[in-house]
Amino acid sequence: MSQLLGIIQRLQSLQETATGSEPSQRFFEVEGEKRCSVKYFDKSGTYELEVFEKGEKPQSFQFDNIDIIAIEIFDLLQQ
């Protein structure tokens, strides 16, 4: 299984476990270091990607397409 497929499966799992009141959240790590977190908002059907970089304030980005956010996460994990 490719890493990209694994990311998509984790994002789909977020959709399936989402409840209307609280967004579901997952963290993506490389060698124990958190690179980003993803929240899925069931009401709007959107994802929020929060990117963690050492020494900087986390940045947040909104996505409504599972494929695009999966590619962004894949790129973050390759760095």
Side-chain angles (χ1 to χ4, degrees):
M1 174 173 67
S2 75
Q3 187 177 14
L4 189 56
L5 182 58
I7 292 168
I8 290 172
Q9 288 176 340
R10 290 182 74 188
L11 294 173
Q12 289 173 333
S13 174
L14 274 177
Q15 286 180 333
E16 294 166 4
T17 60
T19 62
S21 59
E22 282 291 316
S24 299
Q25 183 174 19
R26 289 271 178 137
F27 291 94
F28 291 86
E29 302 176 350
V30 174
E31 297 178 5
E33 179 185 334
K34 290 182 182 175
R35 294 288 175 96
C36 64
S37 73
V38 178
K39 291 181 184 176
Y40 178 73
F41 296 89
D42 191 38
K43 288 183 180 179
S44 62
T46 60
Y47 296 91
E48 179 183 85
L49 175 66
E50 189 172 29
V51 179
F52 308 120
E53 294 193 27
K54 287 184 178 180
E56 294 185 27
K57 185 177 178 181
Q59 293 181 313
S60 295
F61 305 94
Q62 300 291 321
F63 295 89
D64 60 0
N65 184 304
I66 193 170
D67 296 326
I68 301 299
I69 190 170
I71 291 168
E72 290 292 326
I73 294 168
F74 179 81
D75 288 343
L76 285 169
L77 297 178
Q78 299 304 307
Q79 295 177 359

